[in-house]
Amino acid sequence: MRIIKYIFLLLLLGIIGISVYVATQKGSFDITDSTIINVKKSVLFNYVNDYKNWEDWSAWKDDDPSMVFKYPENTVGQNASYSWSGEQGNGKMTTFYVKVNDSIAQSINYGDNESKSYISFKDTLGKTKITWRYKGTLNFMAKVYATFNGGVGQMMASMTERSLNNLNKVIIKEINTFDIKVDGIVQKPALFYIKKTTTCKTKEVENRLLIMLPQLINFFKKNNIKMYGSPFVIYESTDFANNTTTFSVCGPLREEIFFSAESDISTGKREAFSALKTTLYGDYSNKNKAKNKANTYLNENNLRENTSADRIEIFIKSASDVRYPSKWITELLIPLPTTTAKTTVATTKQPNANARIILEVEKQPTTK
């Protein structure tokens, strides 16, 4: 019995000693790490700015594979957030500041631990230097864990370093996995749609689009309105003097509906038109490559764009449907003169021996 008492006493003294040691250790941290990633600054910014992508590169899940991520309605831009739960605890990250293509600031609550995250992006000759500053404090239990993992500073530095390395690998793979197919001439029917229109700097269009598209989809869901096809964007005008673009994010309707004059949501009607259809399989950042390929096809096949009509992009699969950018599908439609499709039907001749003509009518859902 005396031996057992001695063993118990030694264990107790050991626990007290460890507790005192841990209590005297620094519980705060301020870590800064950076790396250079071979993608354009705007592309990297848009990827990091969407919390749905964090699950694929954050080292937190490496440390706790049981983590389950939950995404709210808004995961992009200021006031966006996401949360997680796992064996090591629950947490939430919220964006409280965003400067497009420049920086993101976030608050993180992880149990009783609070921290701040500051991520900046700097262009370096077509590549991007991303710098991540991570600072905060750990509660007692987190300090205990950190003590047996090299200390608070080393543990948090390892987390940021592994996360940035993961980000580098993941985004390079996602961005570079894409394909472009020029499908040919298609005929699009007339339809009504709901739209939300905005004007912004041309360089910020993609970022604004990534925010507005899920907002429109959620508007349909909240108001119990059926979207009669895939959402699309209409590029209405570009002010080259001020470097601004006006565009509308749209959701197709089966029939026209009306909104109050005060609403920022309105309706429109897209008339039937013919267009050259090009499909981009992969991340939206490759859109310009798809546009260039479509323009080349126009020139090589003696096709003329109808400049009085607007270019349209249809989001067959987007971030709202699948998390991985490499699996997104976007159709780019360049409007053509109305005589193009009619001539093709009447003569069945192609503008050029290499041109492909497809008369495509959008399928309408079967009503029950």
Side-chain angles (χ1 to χ4, degrees):
M1 287 293 293
R2 184 174 297 178
I3 294 176
I4 295 176
K5 290 181 180 179
Y6 286 147
I7 293 174
F8 177 77
L9 181 60
L10 288 172
L11 288 174
L12 181 60
L13 290 173
I15 291 172
I16 293 173
I18 292 173
S19 299
V20 171
Y21 175 76
V22 171
T24 59
Q25 296 302 299
K26 187 177 180 181
S28 61
F29 61 91
D30 191 342
I31 305 298
T32 300
D33 199 356
S34 62
T35 190
I36 294 177
I37 299 179
N38 190 17
V39 297
K40 291 173 56 178
K41 183 172 68 171
S42 60
V43 174
L44 182 59
F45 174 86
N46 287 329
Y47 188 79
V48 174
N49 195 35
D50 188 347
Y51 281 128
K52 287 183 178 178
N53 297 320
W54 280 59
E55 183 176 346
D56 296 323
W57 60 270
S58 169
W60 298 338
K61 191 167 184 178
D62 293 341
D63 298 333
D64 184 1
S66 68
M67 272 190 177
V68 176
F69 294 83
K70 295 182 180 179
Y71 303 102
E73 180 178 307
N74 181 22
T75 63
V76 180
Q78 190 161 331
N79 299 320
S81 65
Y82 82 111
S83 59
W84 64 89
S85 59
E87 293 178 356
Q88 297 182 12
N90 305 329
K92 182 178 181 180
M93 178 178 278
T94 304
T95 299
F96 63 85
Y97 172 83
V98 173
K99 184 177 180 181
V100 175
N101 294 333
D102 180 84
S103 54
I104 302 170
Q106 304 152 313
S107 61
I108 307 165
N109 294 296
Y110 194 11
D112 296 330
N113 306 297
E114 294 185 359
S115 56
K116 293 289 191 293
S117 167
Y118 305 94
I119 305 175
S120 62
F121 305 82
K122 183 179 181 180
D123 180 63
T124 57
L125 300 175
K127 300 179 182 180
T128 305
K129 181 180 181 180
I130 177 171
T131 301
W132 191 2
R133 184 184 180 191
Y134 193 24
K135 59 183 294 187
T137 57
L138 300 180
N139 61 22
F140 180 79
M141 292 306 297
K143 284 170 63 177
V144 172
Y145 180 82
T147 299
F148 291 98
N149 286 273
V152 174
Q154 183 174 329
M155 183 181 76
M156 302 310 297
S158 172
M159 188 280 296
T160 55
E161 181 182 10
R162 287 182 291 122
S163 293
L164 290 176
N165 288 338
N166 290 343
L167 174 61
N168 192 1
K169 294 175 184 176
V170 170
I171 193 171
I172 291 296
K173 178 182 176 182
E174 287 296 318
I175 298 302
N176 291 330
T177 304
F178 71 96
D179 190 24
I180 299 169
K181 178 183 177 184
V182 179
D183 301 283
I185 300 174
V186 299
Q187 181 79 11
K188 292 293 182 179
L191 57 77
F192 292 105
Y193 56 85
I194 289 176
K195 69 174 181 176
K196 186 172 182 177
T197 303
T198 191
T199 300
C200 65
K201 291 294 183 181
T202 300
K203 65 181 181 180
E204 297 179 1
V205 167
E206 184 178 342
N207 178 265
R208 188 70 64 87
L209 182 59
L210 292 174
I211 296 174
M212 292 175 61
L213 182 59
Q215 289 178 343
L216 181 74
I217 293 173
N218 286 317
F219 176 85
F220 271 78
K221 292 179 180 178
K222 280 186 175 180
N223 293 276
N224 199 27
I225 303 173
K226 181 178 177 58
M227 190 176 293
Y228 204 59
S230 298
F232 58 95
V233 59
I234 300 175
Y235 291 96
E236 299 181 8
S237 63
T238 298
D239 183 343
F240 294 101
N242 295 308
N243 294 317
T244 60
T245 297
T246 299
F247 66 93
S248 296
V249 178
C250 312
L253 299 169
R254 183 175 181 180
E255 56 189 7
E256 188 174 16
I257 59 177
F258 299 94
F259 297 92
S260 63
E262 296 79 16
S263 175
D264 62 346
I265 299 288
S266 59
T267 56
K269 182 180 180 182
R270 191 185 76 189
E271 300 295 342
F273 70 104
S274 59
L276 175 68
K277 172 184 168 184
T278 302
T279 304
L280 167 63
Y281 301 89
D283 186 75
Y284 192 70
S285 63
N286 293 299
K287 182 185 70 171
N288 285 337
K289 296 183 181 70
K291 289 170 61 177
N292 292 338
K293 191 168 184 178
N295 289 331
T296 298
Y297 186 93
L298 287 176
N299 294 331
E300 290 178 348
N301 292 281
N302 301 318
L303 294 172
R304 181 168 52 88
E305 179 178 357
N306 180 7
T307 55
S308 63
D310 302 315
R311 289 193 174 195
I312 292 175
E313 293 166 9
I314 304 176
F315 303 102
I316 306 301
K317 283 188 179 181
S318 65
S320 299
D321 305 301
V322 58
R323 195 172 76 243
Y324 303 105
S326 59
K327 297 185 182 299
W328 295 351
I329 301 176
T330 310
E331 293 180 354
L332 288 70
L333 302 178
I334 300 178
L336 303 174
T338 54
T339 55
T340 302
K342 292 180 180 179
T343 302
T344 302
V345 174
T347 64
T348 67
K349 291 183 179 180
Q350 299 175 342
N352 181 286
N354 297 319
R356 288 168 289 167
I357 305 298
I358 305 172
L359 289 182
E360 178 186 273
V361 178
E362 293 173 334
K363 294 182 180 179
Q364 307 298 321
T366 303
T367 56
K368 296 183 179 179

